[in-house]
Amino acid sequence: MPVLLGQAVFVRTRYISLPEPAGARQGVAGDGPPLRLLIIGDSSAAGVGVATQTDALLGQVIARLRDHATVHYELVARTGARTADVLEWLPDLPDAKYDFVVTALGVNDVTKGVSLRQWLGQQVSLIAQLGARFGTRKVIVSGLPPIGQFPLLPHPLRWVLGRQAARFDRHLHELAAGRSDCVALRFTMGLDASNMSEDGFHPGPTVYAAWAQEIAQIILAEPDLLDGTQGAP
């Protein structure tokens, strides 16, 4: 424990604080049947690690959907957010309807010491509230990345956080597998300095692109979503 605490302090001293990327967080793009999309979560949802929203998760998802639909999109994300924080935001969000909600949460819960049991309870509450509040067809929950591969983190801190993240991710997929209102994305890409951002902690554009591709495939595979039978937003 003294080693881990010392390494945590050391990491904070060498951490490069990157800004959230510039660009619109809400709008309309594309042509075709209406598709309503909300992305909500932490700094990875916000796109930290790239300069503009075009290269971030939001922009890369829109780029893959705009030829198939008129995408009405909204991004609600903040650096450092935990699942509990997002639950606190929900009552203050404007009333709206979304076909899909993408969540990106868990890394800050791991690094800030939230227990697995507490986090899973919060995830269940979040999924249920998103569906009830926004009439969502499906909540797409993003699996946790392999924190044990983050270049910023030294060993053994990297190993400890990586094991906990893998534990969270395993239980998240088990949770999603037992529900019809959500699906969990499994993070399979290996991470290193070549595809991470300069801070060694956030995704680079290649990682965001692969993540966006997985999300777009789920949305485009949804039966009847893009056949023009839905009402306008």
Side-chain angles (χ1 to χ4, degrees):
M1 185 60 69
V3 172
L4 297 178
L5 290 173
Q7 288 190 331
V9 172
F10 172 72
V11 166
R12 289 184 179 277
T13 64
R14 62 187 290 226
Y15 177 68
I16 302 171
S17 181
L18 298 178
E20 295 180 1
R25 293 192 173 204
Q26 61 180 357
V28 182
D31 184 38
L35 190 158
R36 300 157 297 186
L37 175 69
L38 170 66
I39 297 178
I40 191 166
D42 58 21
S43 56
S44 63
V48 171
V50 296
T52 68
Q53 287 295 339
T54 300
D55 291 327
L57 181 65
L58 174 65
Q60 302 244 25
V61 170
I62 292 170
R64 287 158 175 78
L65 297 177
R66 63 184 305 154
D67 290 340
H68 305 275
T70 301
V71 184
H72 300 253
Y73 61 89
E74 178 94 17
L75 171 63
V76 180
R78 188 178 304 158
T79 297
R82 302 162 302 158
T83 305
D85 298 317
V86 175
L87 286 169
E88 291 182 357
W89 301 345
L90 289 184
D92 297 326
L93 296 183
D95 290 332
K97 296 294 182 183
Y98 296 104
D99 298 301
F100 288 89
V101 178
V102 178
T103 69
L105 292 161
V107 170
N108 294 312
D109 294 274
V110 169
T111 60
K112 294 177 181 179
V114 177
S115 72
L116 174 61
R117 183 174 182 177
Q118 182 180 18
W119 184 70
L120 287 174
Q122 293 167 349
Q123 286 287 317
V124 169
S125 179
L126 179 61
I127 293 166
Q129 290 189 46
L130 289 171
R133 174 77 187 278
F134 301 124
T136 304
R137 279 178 174 244
K138 190 98 51 177
V139 178
I140 303 174
V141 294
S142 302
L144 275 76
I147 295 180
Q149 297 176 17
F150 283 11
L152 173 69
L153 303 176
H155 287 295
L157 180 63
R158 180 190 297 188
W159 181 85
V160 171
L161 294 179
R163 293 273 296 198
Q164 183 72 329
R167 186 166 166 251
F168 274 47
D169 187 64
R170 183 173 67 255
H171 284 274
L172 179 66
H173 280 82
E174 291 174 358
L175 168 65
R179 302 179 65 105
S180 60
D181 56 352
C182 72
V183 60
L185 292 180
R186 192 173 300 279
F187 199 102
T188 59
M189 175 180 285
L191 299 177
D192 56 37
S194 69
N195 57 21
M196 295 284 282
S197 67
E198 62 177 308
D199 68 2
F201 194 83
H202 289 95
T206 302
V207 179
Y208 280 126
W211 185 2
Q213 181 64 25
E214 294 289 329
I215 293 169
Q217 286 177 348
I218 290 173
I219 293 174
L220 294 175
E222 185 71 9
D224 304 324
L225 180 63
L226 303 178
D227 64 0
T229 62
Q230 295 196 104

